[in-house]
Amino acid sequence: WLSDRFFGKYHTILWLSLLYCVGHACLAIFEGNRTGFYTGLFLIALGSGGIKPLVSSFVGDQFTQSNKHLAKIVYDAFYWTINFGSFFASLLMPILLRNYGAAVAFGVPGVLMFIATVIFWMGRSKYVNMPPSAHDPNAFMRVVMTALRGGSTGRKGAGSVIAACGVLIGDAMLLGWWLSPVWWPTDFGFVTSFCLALAAILLLGGVGTALQLEHARGTHPDDAVDGVRAILRILIIFAIVSPFWSLFDQKASTWVLQGKTMILPHDQWWWPSWLVKEAGQMQALNPLLVMALIPFNNLVLYPLLTKLGFKVTALRRMGFGIAFSGLAWVFAGMIQLWIDGGDPVSLAWQILPYALLTFGEVLVSATGLEFAYSQSPPRMKGVIMSFWMLSVTFGNVWVLLTNAAVRNETAMTQIANTGLSENAFLMFFFAGFAFVAALIFAAYAKRYPLQDHYRAA
């Protein structure tokens, strides 16, 4: 919002990149100081929160209606380079940490980020820089507030009541965290409580606005009202995608913990024992597979499917990506059943779920960047990209809520009655969660009206 309204994408990216570098410096310098360490984490969160949505939309700004067909290629290349860095980070950072300590492990990416920022600054005269939008009486929130107030007639309907309930529920959740009443879970800290409150406001506020939106016509022009409805449709897409992130991000937690109970196959000739010495380094497999799958999909798979008569649209790719993530967790659950049986299981078996999950990631995440940009009105490119990133946050909230829900005697008894361990049960649960999300996504995608918001030449 700050970039779209005041500073523009380039300047916001530049200054927040420098904050990001300062954050890494804090982590490296204050290795033994809790306050300095948390300051570094805060600055990195602030920096990445500003950089990630803006870099994606800044990429899209370089294209026009005349060459927008190249945008997908560049977004895929953009995602490829991200994973190129992630591959070496996942592989080498554990080694740096083990051999040289946390200061070096945090300091090296900080130095690399500073070099990247300097390179970005050097290209300042080469970019297309879209200026921030001027004061707009027909901006998104102005249209929303007009609609919820009943427009020129002042007639508030059910939509206004629903939106107000969303605000009240959100306030109650934050009060629950602050006052710690009996009805609010004690293990829900501020971040979780804030995310749940935000979800309530967005969900009920969105539903209320959709029901009330026609009241804004007359006060605001039709294209502004239609633009708000288009944004609400985009947010529904993002909400349905959020279960994918609940599965994807657990590869860095649940799957690593599973890997630590498995056996590294050092006796196999093909296993890189000289490099992969712990389960956490399996994370490097994800970006490596991304780098292989992006060119494979674009050069082989998509052309082949097109020849066979299957139209490979962005929404279809994303829907199948969610389903593939569910399939990955089915195999992860099967591995967990094998582990629970007491037999030693090779870590190499995790390659299969990693491959399936990564294929789903390429279909969802790489596609979603270009989709989010193309569907966003010109005045809200950065904001919509931010909502795309927010879907990742809500995906992680789903995980927290699920784990909290099973932390009681009744739930544990029911899980035990299934004959599955808690880990195996949750893996199959998240697989089913993804399959349901994929079906909902497919149903909604069929009636989603695609937009085209690339700028004119």
Side-chain angles (χ1 to χ4, degrees):
W1 178 78
L2 288 174
S3 70
D4 287 345
R5 184 70 176 82
F6 295 106
F7 306 124
K9 299 183 186 69
Y10 169 78
H11 290 101
T12 310
I13 293 169
L14 179 65
W15 293 113
L16 289 178
S17 294
L18 292 174
L19 271 184
Y20 193 103
C21 296
V22 173
H24 263 284
C26 288
L27 294 186
I29 295 170
F30 299 107
E31 181 181 354
N33 183 288
R34 181 183 295 269
T35 301
F37 185 77
Y38 277 108
T39 300
L41 290 179
F42 171 76
L43 291 175
I44 286 178
L46 182 63
S48 64
I51 295 166
K52 291 179 73 173
L54 296 185
V55 170
S56 301
S57 55
F58 192 66
V59 168
D61 284 348
Q62 311 309 305
F63 295 92
T64 66
Q65 291 289 342
S66 63
N67 62 1
K68 65 183 181 182
H69 61 284
L70 299 175
K72 180 191 177 301
I73 298 173
V74 173
Y75 270 110
D76 282 346
F78 170 64
Y79 202 74
W80 192 96
T81 59
I82 291 172
N83 283 274
F84 179 82
S86 181
F87 169 71
F88 287 103
S90 301
L91 205 59
L92 300 180
M93 287 307 113
I95 297 174
L96 291 180
L97 177 63
R98 184 171 59 245
N99 295 337
Y100 302 101
V104 173
F106 285 126
V108 168
V111 171
L112 294 175
M113 183 63 193
F114 180 74
I115 294 172
T117 304
V118 172
I119 294 172
F120 178 70
W121 171 80
M122 290 171 62
R124 62 193 181 282
S125 62
K126 306 290 185 182
Y127 308 129
V128 173
N129 286 312
M130 302 299 294
S133 58
H135 173 74
D136 184 4
N138 301 306
F140 176 82
M141 284 306 300
R142 292 180 181 273
V143 176
V144 169
M145 294 309 298
T146 297
L148 293 178
R149 291 182 183 126
S152 58
T153 63
R155 289 183 300 176
K156 298 178 181 179
S160 301
V161 176
I162 292 172
C165 288
V167 174
L168 291 174
I169 291 172
D171 290 343
M173 289 178 174
L174 290 178
L175 282 173
W177 161 78
W178 187 31
L179 301 175
S180 299
V182 176
W183 54 269
W184 193 249
T186 56
D187 56 346
F188 281 13
F190 170 74
V191 173
T192 305
S193 303
F194 177 81
C195 289
L196 290 173
L198 182 60
I201 293 171
L202 289 175
L203 175 61
L204 297 180
V207 171
T209 300
L211 293 174
Q212 198 79 11
L213 190 56
E214 292 303 309
H215 289 282
R217 295 194 189 275
T219 305
H220 299 280
D222 288 349
D223 64 331
V225 177
D226 293 338
V228 170
R229 192 171 296 281
I231 290 170
L232 294 177
R233 293 191 185 107
I234 297 172
L235 297 185
I236 292 173
I237 290 287
F238 292 176
I240 303 173
V241 170
S242 66
F244 165 80
W245 298 111
S246 68
L247 277 70
F248 178 76
D249 281 348
Q250 286 191 79
K251 69 178 176 54
S253 54
T254 304
W255 284 14
V256 172
L257 293 176
Q258 183 190 63
K260 289 182 177 180
T261 66
M262 303 170 76
I263 307 299
L264 274 74
H266 291 307
D267 57 332
Q268 299 296 320
W269 64 268
W270 49 269
W271 184 260
S273 298
W274 58 275
L275 185 61
V276 181
K277 299 181 181 295
E278 55 188 71
Q281 289 178 283
M282 286 291 285
Q283 293 291 294
L285 186 61
N286 169 250
L288 181 64
L289 287 169
V290 168
M291 290 189 288
L293 284 171
I294 285 178
F296 171 79
N297 287 352
N298 286 321
L299 299 176
V300 179
L301 181 61
Y302 297 156
L304 177 61
L305 291 174
T306 301
K307 286 184 178 180
L308 294 175
F310 184 84
K311 190 175 181 180
V312 186
T313 65
L315 289 175
R316 283 181 175 177
R317 291 199 300 271
M318 293 168 71
F320 276 104
I322 299 171
F324 269 101
S325 71
L327 188 60
W329 277 75
V330 169
F331 281 100
M334 293 171 66
I335 291 172
Q336 189 61 45
L337 292 178
W338 191 359
I339 294 171
D340 294 341
D343 296 327
V345 182
S346 171
L347 185 63
W349 282 105
Q350 276 198 334
I351 294 174
L352 178 58
Y354 266 104
L356 291 169
L357 187 66
T358 303
F359 186 60
E361 175 197 2
V362 171
L363 295 178
V364 173
S365 189
T367 303
L369 293 175
E370 193 273 333
F371 174 82
Y373 183 88
S374 67
Q375 302 304 295
S376 309
R379 294 186 295 257
M380 293 193 66
K381 296 294 187 185
V383 172
I384 293 299
M385 282 292 187
S386 298
F387 276 110
W388 172 250
M389 299 299 170
L390 190 63
S391 70
V392 182
T393 300
F394 287 135
N396 283 272
V397 172
W398 282 120
V399 177
L400 189 145
L401 293 177
T402 302
N403 288 331
V406 301
R407 295 291 182 265
N408 61 78
E409 185 175 348
T410 302
M412 297 297 288
T413 300
Q414 291 177 342
I415 292 174
N417 290 337
T418 66
L420 301 174
S421 67
E422 180 185 337
N423 287 340
F425 176 85
L426 287 176
M427 287 178 174
F428 289 122
F429 169 83
F430 279 111
F433 188 36
F435 290 139
V436 171
L439 290 174
I440 295 174
F441 188 95
Y444 185 75
K446 285 184 178 180
R447 58 190 184 90
Y448 177 85
L450 285 171
Q451 308 293 312
D452 183 357
H453 286 300
Y454 281 98
R455 61 187 176 86

